[in-house]
Amino acid sequence: MSSEFEITILASGSKGNAAVIRAGEQAFLVDVGISCRQLTERLHQAGMKPEDLTGVLLTHEHNDHVKGLPVFCRKYRLPVFANERTWQYMPKKSEMERSCCRLLPKKLSSGSLEIIPFAVPHDAASTVGYVFKSGGSKCTYLTDVGFVTDEVRQNIADADVVVLEANHDEDMLKNGSYPQILKQRILGTRGHLSNVSAAWLLAHMERLPEEVFLAHLSQENNLPSLALQTVRGILDANEVGADTKIYITSQENIVKNYD
Ligand SMILES: [Zn+2]
Ligand SMILES: [Zn+2]
């Protein structure tokens, strides 16, 4: 691995999201969408413990991203960063340990690691993605994306490692069992990114990342093999990304790019 970043996806999908982005001594947990017990167990399985973490970054306040947060916070007292509107709409805010709640700055520096949040269209109060920079490497974390904006494109450009939503296959979603209103929400501009949209976002990059983690796959409206096939197919058709390593993340398994 030539990038600076060690990525550990602890859980990914509509039932809960949590990932650790590590660069040297700095390790940030992005989202706490699984229970504190589950999170601690998975950290241990991945060879880490909560005490190793520098802090927590939140993308938005949907339950699949904050479910385990209040308990995790009370237990480990790590600083938790989210923007003002995300805090405002946070469920179970009263259960949060107040001293842990921090306002997300425009840029967060921690050792040699720089973290820059950017706005993402999604139907929460104020959803963000994150850019991490360390020692000349860049990692972009981007899940729960309604559609690809210029801001999204700018923030993913030149990334060496990308965690990218590939939520659904449009045909599976359209023909699936979800109620019409939910289908419309997911397909809408503030819903979730499809396999095809994720693939085209990558295909249009001037320089493809070394590593891509396809994330937030729907258990109802996607299949790991289909997500991989769709993305790889579009990259191949555009004759790009032959050297890009693509990882598929899931709800059950820990997925990491080191060992
Ligand atoms: Zn969401
Ligand atoms: Zn989500």
Side-chain angles (χ1 to χ4, degrees):
M1 188 187 65
S2 54
S3 105
E4 290 268 310
F5 291 99
E6 287 182 4
I7 312 292
T8 312
I9 309 287
L10 299 167
S12 187
S14 50
K15 293 205 175 97
N17 296 274
V20 178
I21 313 291
R22 178 191 285 277
E25 296 293 298
Q26 312 296 317
F28 279 83
L29 177 66
V30 181
D31 290 335
V32 194
I34 51 178
S35 72
C36 177
R37 192 173 58 88
Q38 214 176 8
L39 183 73
T40 315
E41 271 173 24
R42 291 195 180 187
L43 281 171
H44 280 264
Q45 281 170 31
M48 286 181 266
K49 47 189 190 306
E51 292 81 1
D52 298 338
L53 298 169
T54 317
V56 180
L57 302 163
L58 301 180
T59 58
H60 63 302
E61 73 282 9
H62 284 162
N63 197 43
D64 57 319
H65 298 261
V66 300
K67 192 163 39 197
L69 184 64
V71 177
F72 186 74
C73 249
R74 280 202 301 275
K75 216 161 168 190
Y76 298 106
R77 310 253 164 167
L78 288 162
V80 181
F81 296 91
N83 62 36
E84 199 172 359
R85 281 176 59 79
T86 300
W87 280 128
Q88 204 178 335
Y89 288 87
M90 185 66 64
K92 300 186 190 162
K93 198 164 56 174
S94 58
E95 294 174 28
M96 283 289 300
E97 173 60 43
R98 291 281 298 268
S99 63
C100 297
C101 305
R102 307 283 167 85
L103 218 48
L104 187 61
K106 281 203 172 73
K107 183 160 86 177
L108 183 63
S109 296
S110 182
S112 60
L113 180 66
E114 254 181 27
I115 304 166
I116 305 137
F118 60 97
V120 169
H122 180 62
D123 55 2
S126 179
T127 309
V128 295
Y130 287 100
V131 166
F132 299 83
K133 288 182 180 171
S134 177
S137 295
K138 174 175 170 179
C139 166
T140 301
Y141 189 96
L142 182 64
T143 65
D144 300 66
V145 196
F147 73 106
V148 174
T149 59
D150 286 344
E151 195 170 357
V152 164
R153 259 187 218 103
Q154 282 155 18
N155 281 288
I156 205 171
D158 293 324
D160 304 287
V161 186
V162 172
V163 179
L164 176 62
E165 174 166 58
N167 179 260
H168 56 273
D169 173 77
E170 281 202 23
D171 289 331
M172 276 183 80
L173 176 65
K174 283 177 185 160
N175 300 320
S177 64
Y178 275 16
Q180 198 54 33
I181 189 146
L182 188 53
K183 288 182 183 178
Q184 274 163 1
R185 184 206 148 219
I186 295 169
L187 290 166
T189 55
R190 301 192 67 204
H192 290 278
L193 219 56
S194 70
N195 295 339
V196 168
S197 305
W200 278 108
L201 174 58
L202 294 171
H204 281 139
M205 287 174 74
E206 233 164 77
R207 182 173 67 82
L208 272 284
E210 290 165 23
E211 298 175 310
V212 173
F213 291 77
L214 296 181
H216 215 300
L217 268 70
S218 167
Q219 284 184 316
E220 285 275 330
N221 305 307
N222 210 349
L223 295 167
S225 56
L226 184 58
L228 183 60
Q229 217 177 67
T230 305
V231 172
R232 196 44 97 185
I234 289 175
L235 295 186
D236 287 351
N238 285 276
E239 296 179 359
V240 291
D243 300 328
T244 300
K245 194 158 186 199
I246 302 179
Y247 301 87
I248 300 283
T249 68
S250 83
Q251 207 73 66
E252 287 83 24
N253 300 318
I254 295 168
V255 179
K256 48 189 186 178
N257 66 342
Y258 58 94
D259 253 334

